[in-house]
Amino acid sequence: MLYLRALRNNEAFYAELADGRIKRLAGPPYEGAVYTGEEYDPAEVKLLPPCEPTKIVAVGLNYAKHAAEMKEKLIGSPVLFMKAPTSLIAHGETIVWPAASQRVDYEAELAVVIGKKCKGVSPEEASNYIFGYTALNDVTARDLQKADGQWTRAKSFDTFCPVGPYIDTAYNPAGRRVQSVVDGVIKQSGNTDDMLFSPAELVSFISECMTLLPGDIIATGTPEGIGPLRRGGVVEIRIDGLETLRNSVE
C-alpha cells in the first residue's frame, strides 16, 4: 500500500493512494487504516511530507565508497546523526539555499519509516517495527559541515530534508538501485546491497539507545557521487520500486 499526507481546503490528513484516487483516512495508518469514505483526485490535494516524525535519525558512511570519497575511516558500527524535523519538506516543494552556505549538496537515500514503538529490538525482530520505505534527500551545507566538525547545523536547515512522495508498506529494500539525478544528469548510482548495515540492523542498533516512535524516519546513508546543487536547479531521488522524489532549488 502507498500512504501519504495531503492538504485540502487547509486541512491536513493521512490517505492511501489506490486506483489513482486519494482515499482519506481518519488518522495515522500505523495501527490500521480507518477510511472516512472521502476520495479525491490527486490534482485536488497538495502533498505533504508523508509522515510526522518526532525525530529523523540519519546514518553516515553506510556505503564504503562514500566513506572513501569523504576521506572518513569506517569504525565498525553505524555512525548516527540527527536532522531537525523542521527540515522536512514534501515532494514538489523547494529547497531553500541558506545565506550562510556557499555549497549545498544532494545525498540520495532510502528512508525507513517506523510503524510502532520500538526499543531494544534485535535485527530479526526489526521488520515488525518497520512501517514502510520512502525516498529521502539528505541535503547538506557541505562547507558548514567541514567548518563545524560535526554535522547538525549543516544537515538541519529548513527545507534540507525532502521526503516522499509516498510510504510503500510492501516494499522490499534488497538489491535496489539508489540514484540522484541533478538537472537531468545521473550523479549517484548505488545499490542497497552495498550498505554496510541493512535497514533491519540499523533499526536494531538505533533502538538500543533511543526509543523509536511511529512516524520516525531513519535515513540509511548515501552512496558515492555526492556533489553540489545549484540555485534554479532540480534534483530527483530515484530508488528502484519507489516513486521519484523531485524538488527544485532556490
Side-chain angles (χ1 to χ4, degrees):
M1 293 183 177
L2 299 179
Y3 289 105
L4 59 108
R5 288 178 62 244
L7 188 69
R8 184 176 185 272
N9 295 334
N10 293 318
E11 287 186 307
F13 56 91
Y14 287 88
E16 181 192 356
L17 177 64
D19 302 320
R21 301 286 290 171
I22 303 292
K23 299 184 177 183
R24 187 165 178 164
L25 303 180
Y30 306 118
E31 295 183 4
V34 177
Y35 298 89
T36 67
E38 298 168 274
E39 295 187 11
Y40 313 113
D41 186 274
E44 296 180 69
V45 306
K46 178 185 183 299
L47 287 179
L48 299 173
C51 55
E52 299 173 279
T54 67
K55 51 192 165 293
I56 302 165
V57 186
V59 181
L61 313 178
N62 199 25
Y63 291 78
K65 290 182 180 178
H66 172 58
E69 74 177 347
M70 295 296 291
K71 298 180 173 58
E72 297 277 2
K73 292 182 179 179
L74 299 174
I75 63 172
S77 59
V79 175
L80 304 183
F81 61 94
M82 309 292 283
K83 290 177 77 80
T86 47
S87 67
L88 280 176
I89 58 172
H91 168 78
E93 293 190 306
T94 300
I95 300 165
V96 178
W97 196 298
S101 178
Q102 298 302 308
R103 174 170 165 170
V104 175
D105 283 13
Y106 53 82
E107 292 191 14
E109 307 205 10
L110 177 69
V112 173
V113 179
I114 297 298
K116 58 183 178 179
K117 187 175 180 179
C118 176
K119 175 64 177 176
V121 304
S122 69
E124 293 73 26
E125 297 171 313
S127 61
N128 297 324
Y129 296 84
I130 295 174
F131 182 68
Y133 295 85
T134 190
L136 183 147
N137 189 350
D138 177 19
V139 182
T140 304
R142 192 68 66 198
D143 51 348
L144 302 184
Q145 181 186 21
K146 292 179 180 178
D148 290 353
Q150 55 83 28
W151 304 351
T152 302
R153 179 168 69 127
K155 301 275 191 176
S156 290
F157 282 95
D158 291 352
T159 76
F160 268 28
C161 193
V163 176
Y166 315 119
I167 302 168
D168 189 336
T169 60
Y171 190 72
N172 181 348
R176 302 292 191 164
R177 183 173 56 183
V178 178
Q179 293 183 318
S180 60
V181 180
V182 181
D183 299 326
V185 178
I186 296 172
K187 297 292 188 177
Q188 290 177 283
S189 189
N191 192 289
T192 57
D193 282 352
D194 294 328
M195 287 182 181
L196 299 174
F197 304 97
S198 70
E201 290 171 326
L202 293 175
V203 170
S204 175
F205 181 82
I206 294 166
S207 77
E208 289 177 3
C209 68
M210 67 185 81
T211 300
L212 295 167
L213 299 175
D216 283 353
I217 292 172
I218 299 172
T220 60
T222 196
E224 75 277 11
I226 60 167
L229 296 167
R230 67 173 184 87
R231 291 179 175 88
V234 175
V235 56
E236 296 180 337
I237 307 303
R238 300 178 183 174
I239 301 177
D240 285 349
L242 295 176
E243 293 290 328
T244 296
L245 171 65
R246 183 180 298 106
N247 300 90
S248 58
V249 185
E250 69 175 26

